[in-house]
């Protein structure tokens, strides 16, 4: 009997939760705010679904209701991607070690 | 066109890069590289998707324009936002992810052929369940984050809004949602789908309004987690590995942060979620409102104490963020260091309005991160320190948490500020903190209250130093 592909995706999902669990516990508490902003940025990978939805059935009519929802989702996700990664970078750039001459 | 297998492999690469992005955050040195991995992962996912759709005509043009519009809005916000506003920014961004998840789910529901989910009115049951779950969680994330945003921004009062039977109403709505999903699968009638989304929007509002301002660290982490699960739900619908991996990562990340925040307050997750904590305690605080002697001082006294100390520990809290006092604080520390005083910073897990809030503000003021310590790292040092400078923190220093089993914060891990030789407590008045509990520390012999705005007081101290 063949295994339903859903089971494979479920396996990926469960294993990823475990990876997330161990990786996030190793994040230093002082970086918890950047952690939130970067997880927010990467969860905007949902834009992938939005792109497929927006460009679907293009030969016919790209201004179907379904496409328009896709386009709207693209804008929202794009705000998040750029905003999320940039703000993370801005924060991370501020974390500095003690200067050597002060020691 | 790219083959489905190759496409899946690229999505897997994105997923791995996202894992590395989080992994990088284990130390500030590797974190910037981690962020770069994240950006590359995102670029790969987006470009490969565009290639796979493979139609570079009008739609593609619109796509680019929209990414450009969204991207420049995001860039503008990211560059302009002050660091003190980070909690509301993150809440706002969560709401966008939630709404995007809803939109993608709606699009997939209206046009299932595109995603190979069957045909309209005859969608595969599994896909239907996944997409309604994704849409429902996305909708809850959206309205919940909007409420959190309004509360953090101060547009809406931070005090909990509770009414009779609230929790039962939420429970009923939750069960109703499950019933709707069941009926949707059975009948494939689109009215059910829209009802699911509307009920979820409503539920998002109802879930967040009873939660008070100082519990926001938990709420933000929780919404962070929800946005992940929503993405994962959509990932299952679209059979997309990158989305499934990312959703799981973000979901567990938010869950862990919520757990850490709850532990920092010694409260169970459900206790926070069910809310209404601040409301119940106001009565108990008014009962014990007797006048006790308080020693108060001015900037000169504080400057004198600190200048003659050999070590000072600074305890920042939300009040520092409100007063934007972090830069003045750093200047004060610089002067102290010149006088040979050893200075370190102690941060409680729930200080501020989101996890790590204080660390970011101190980093912004150029405080080196190796001078900033977490509760467990520094708590023993208070006994050997001459002066503890408490600026904008309150409940997290309250010794009642250790001594009085009646107190609502009993058992909460606190910074042992009272063990230091003297305590300087910057606060605008004697009013109790968020938890509505009087702080014992105010009345101790070794405490000197500095009644003023955190920033003004710090600046005055610099002057008299």
């Amino acid at each position: 009997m063949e295994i339903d592909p859903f089971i494979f995706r479920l396996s990926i999902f469960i294993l990823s939760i475990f990876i997330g669990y161990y990786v996030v516990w190793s994040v230093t508490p002082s970086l918890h705010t950047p952690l939130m902003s970067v997880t927010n940025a990467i969860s905007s990978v949902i834009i992938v679904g939005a792109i497929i939805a927006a460009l679907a059935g293009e030969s016919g009519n790209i201004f179907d209701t379904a496409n328009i929802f896709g386009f709207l989702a693209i804008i929202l996700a794009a705000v998040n991607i750029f905003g999320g990664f940039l703000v993370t970078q801005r924060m991370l750039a501020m974390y500095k070690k003690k200067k050597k001459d002060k020691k | 066109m790219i083959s489905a297998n190759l496409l899946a492999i690229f999505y897997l690469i994105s997923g791995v890069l996202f894992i590395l992005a989080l992994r990088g955050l284990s130390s500030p040195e590797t974190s910037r590289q981690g962020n770069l991995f994240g950006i590359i992962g995102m670029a790969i996912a987006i470009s490969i998707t565009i290639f796979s759709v493979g139609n570079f005509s009008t739609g593609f043009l619109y796509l680019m324009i929209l990414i450009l519009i969204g991207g420049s809005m995001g860039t503008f916000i990211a560059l302009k936002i002050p660091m003190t506003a980070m909690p509301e920014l993150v809440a706002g961004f969560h709401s966008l992810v939630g709404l995007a998840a809803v939109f993608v789910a709606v699009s997939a529901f209206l046009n299932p052929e595109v995603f190979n989910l069957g045909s309209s009115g005859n969608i595969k049951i599994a896909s239907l369940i996944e997409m309604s779950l994704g849409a429902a969680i996305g909708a809850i994330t959206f309205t919940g984050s909007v409420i959190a945003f309004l509360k953090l921004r101060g547009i809406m009062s931070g005090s909990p809004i509770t009414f009779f039977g609230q929790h039962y109403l939420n429970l009923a709505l939750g069960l109703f949602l499950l019933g709707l999903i069941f009926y949707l699968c059975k009948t494939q009638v689109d009215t059910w789908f829209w009802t699911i989304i509307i009920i979820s929007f409503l539920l998002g509002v109802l879930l967040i309004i009873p939660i008070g301002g100082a519990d926001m660290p938990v709420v933000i982490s929780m919404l962070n987690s929800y946005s992940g699960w929503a993405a994962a739900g959509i990932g299952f619908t679209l059979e997309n590995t990158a989305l499934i991996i990312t959703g799981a990562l973000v979901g567990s990340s938010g869950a862990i942060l919520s757990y850490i925040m709850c532990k920092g307050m010694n409260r169970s997750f459900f206790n926070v979620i069910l809310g209404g904590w601040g409301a119940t305690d106001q009565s108990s605080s008014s009962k014990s409102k007797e006048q006790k002697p308080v020693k108060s001082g001015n900037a000169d006294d504080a400057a004198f104490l600190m200048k003659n100390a050999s070590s000072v520990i600074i305890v920042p809290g939300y009040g520092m963020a409100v007063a934007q006092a972090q830069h003045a604080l750093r200047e004060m520390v610089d002067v102290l260091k010149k006088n040979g005083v050893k200075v370190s910073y102690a941060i409680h897990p729930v200080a501020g309005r989101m996890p790590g809030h204080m660390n970011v503000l101190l980093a912004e003021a150029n405080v080196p991160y190796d001078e900033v310590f977490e509760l467990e790292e520094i708590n023993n040092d208070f006994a050997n320190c001459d002066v503890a400078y408490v600026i904008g923190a309150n409940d997290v220093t309250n010794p009642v948490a250790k001594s009085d089993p009646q107190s609502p914060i009993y058992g909460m891990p606190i910074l042992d500020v009272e063990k230091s030789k003297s305590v300087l407590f910057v606060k605008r008045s004697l009013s109790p903190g968020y938890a509505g509990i009087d702080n014992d520390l105010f009345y101790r012999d070794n405490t000197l209250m500095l009644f003023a705005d955190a920033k003004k007081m710090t600046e005055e101290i610099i002057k008299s130093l």
Side-chain angles (χ1 to χ4, degrees):
Chain A
M1 236 172 79
E2 220 176 317
I3 300 171
D4 190 321
F6 171 78
I7 300 302
F8 287 118
R9 285 191 284 277
L10 189 68
S11 318
I12 295 173
F13 180 62
I14 303 286
L15 292 177
S16 301
I17 293 180
F18 276 92
I19 295 174
Y21 180 84
Y22 288 108
V23 168
V24 171
W25 271 115
S26 75
V27 171
T28 158
S30 67
L31 291 176
H32 275 164
T33 300
L35 171 69
M36 300 203 82
S37 63
V38 86
T39 48
N40 177 75
I42 63 173
S43 57
S44 331
V45 76
I46 202 153
I47 196 171
V48 165
I51 293 173
I52 301 174
L55 296 187
E58 206 204 348
S59 49
N61 186 356
I62 62 159
F63 288 111
D64 253 7
T65 331
N67 297 85
I68 289 174
F69 274 110
F71 281 123
L72 289 176
I74 290 177
I75 302 189
L76 297 178
V79 174
N80 243 322
I81 292 172
F82 283 74
F85 280 122
L86 264 174
V87 91
T88 310
Q89 198 162 33
R90 224 182 110 200
M91 277 192 271
L92 293 176
M94 299 183 315
Y95 282 82
K96 289 189 193 83
K97 249 196 156 130
K98 223 179 286 186
K99 279 192 201 108
K100 272 182 194 142
D101 52 26
K102 269 190 186 169
K103 272 184 189 170
Chain B
M1 286 293 261
I2 300 171
S3 82
N5 288 336
L6 192 60
L7 190 61
I9 285 176
F10 274 107
Y11 284 143
L12 181 63
I13 294 174
S14 299
V16 171
L17 285 167
F18 290 153
I19 295 173
L20 292 175
L22 299 194
R23 178 74 193 125
L25 290 171
S26 57
S27 110
E29 283 111 84
T30 53
S31 61
R32 286 169 275 256
Q33 192 193 19
N35 198 39
L36 191 66
F37 282 139
I39 296 173
I40 297 172
M42 187 61 73
I44 291 178
I46 294 177
S47 13
I48 206 70
T49 310
I50 295 177
F51 276 119
S52 78
V53 177
N55 214 330
F56 293 96
S57 50
T58 2
F60 180 71
L61 188 70
Y62 287 121
L63 177 78
M64 283 298 146
I65 293 173
L66 291 179
I67 291 185
L68 207 67
I69 294 174
S72 38
M73 287 200 289
T75 310
F76 180 78
I77 297 169
L79 295 181
K80 287 284 168 213
I81 193 93
M83 285 299 145
T84 40
M86 209 44 73
E88 49 265 46
L89 177 80
V90 170
F93 277 172
H94 285 156
S95 73
L96 298 183
V97 178
L99 194 59
V102 175
F103 285 169
V104 174
V106 167
S107 183
F109 182 78
L110 291 174
N111 201 354
E113 289 91 349
V114 181
F115 297 98
N116 296 321
L117 306 177
S119 57
S120 220
N122 189 21
I123 302 173
K124 282 186 274 180
I125 300 294
S127 310
L128 213 47
I129 297 176
E130 292 153 1
M131 119 186 14
S132 0
L133 281 178
I137 303 173
I140 293 174
T141 312
F142 172 63
T143 47
S145 302
V146 169
I147 300 293
F149 175 85
L150 294 177
K151 283 194 171 192
L152 286 165
R153 192 94 210 150
I155 299 171
M156 203 174 138
S157 154
S159 54
I161 300 170
T162 48
F163 53 86
F164 179 73
Q166 189 166 26
H167 304 320
Y168 294 105
L169 177 67
N170 290 347
L171 186 68
L173 282 177
L175 292 175
F176 185 46
L177 264 184
L178 292 181
L180 282 172
I181 294 175
F182 179 74
Y183 271 102
L184 176 69
C185 293
K186 236 182 143 178
T187 60
Q188 303 256 355
V189 175
D190 56 354
T191 328
W192 300 128
F193 186 71
W194 305 124
T195 322
I196 289 173
I197 294 180
I198 291 167
I199 297 284
S200 307
F201 277 142
L202 187 67
L203 196 56
V205 175
L206 288 172
L207 278 176
I208 307 301
I209 52 169
I211 305 179
D215 286 339
M216 278 302 154
V218 183
V219 172
I220 297 193
S221 321
M222 191 181 81
L223 291 167
N224 187 234
S225 181
Y226 285 1
S227 69
W229 304 130
I234 303 295
F236 274 103
T237 322
L238 308 186
E239 312 187 337
N240 185 308
T241 332
L243 260 173
I244 295 177
I245 296 179
T246 315
L249 288 177
V250 177
S252 51
S253 162
I256 291 174
L257 289 177
S258 320
Y259 171 79
I260 296 176
M261 293 301 109
C262 288
K263 220 174 144 225
M265 297 192 286
N266 189 39
R267 295 171 64 196
S268 77
F269 184 68
F270 285 101
N271 185 307
V272 176
I273 295 311
L274 297 179
W277 193 45
T280 48
D281 296 318
Q282 261 142 25
S283 53
S284 66
S285 72
S286 52
K287 262 187 279 172
S288 60
K289 233 176 203 166
E290 51 197 276
Q291 285 297 319
K292 282 182 260 181
V294 171
K295 279 202 292 184
S296 76
N298 58 24
D300 293 331
D301 304 333
F304 178 79
L305 267 174
M306 283 199 273
K307 209 168 17 180
N308 291 307
S310 64
S311 67
V312 171
I313 298 180
I314 292 173
V315 181
Y318 182 57
M320 180 189 83
V322 175
Q324 304 253 14
Q326 66 270 31
H327 297 280
L329 187 65
R330 215 274 335 277
E331 278 174 51
M332 184 187 91
V333 170
D334 283 349
V335 180
L336 286 175
K337 275 193 200 152
K338 253 180 227 153
N339 285 310
V341 183
K342 186 176 162 278
V343 186
S344 35
Y345 299 80
I347 297 187
H348 191 274
V350 293
R353 285 291 185 263
M354 75 185 290
H357 193 184
M358 291 300 123
N359 303 79
V360 171
L361 294 181
L362 292 177
E364 186 198 11
N366 283 321
V367 173
Y369 61 81
D370 36 6
E371 286 176 12
V372 182
F373 299 94
E374 302 301 316
L375 179 105
E376 301 88 45
E377 296 172 315
I378 202 167
N379 228 3
N380 292 329
D381 297 354
F382 279 109
N384 307 319
C385 107
D386 296 312
V387 179
Y389 187 69
V390 182
I391 173 165
N394 186 0
D395 291 335
V396 298
T397 63
N398 196 341
V400 155
K402 286 188 294 191
S403 58
D404 178 11
Q406 302 298 318
S407 166
I409 60 166
Y410 181 68
M412 174 169 130
I414 61 154
L415 290 160
D416 296 331
V417 174
E418 84 279 4
K419 286 189 184 155
S420 50
K421 289 200 189 80
S422 46
V423 179
L424 296 170
F425 210 110
V426 186
K427 204 167 179 307
R428 266 177 296 194
S429 70
L430 268 185
S431 64
Y434 159 75
I437 313 150
D438 223 11
N439 194 340
D440 234 18
L441 204 56
F442 299 165
Y443 313 108
R444 301 254 168 147
D445 285 340
N446 59 346
T447 306
L448 192 65
M449 297 299 294
L450 306 168
F451 293 111
D453 172 78
K455 189 177 179 185
K456 232 178 260 159
M457 176 51 73
T458 309
E459 279 165 352
E460 277 170 35
I461 293 177
I462 299 172
K463 256 182 238 151
S464 40
L465 278 172

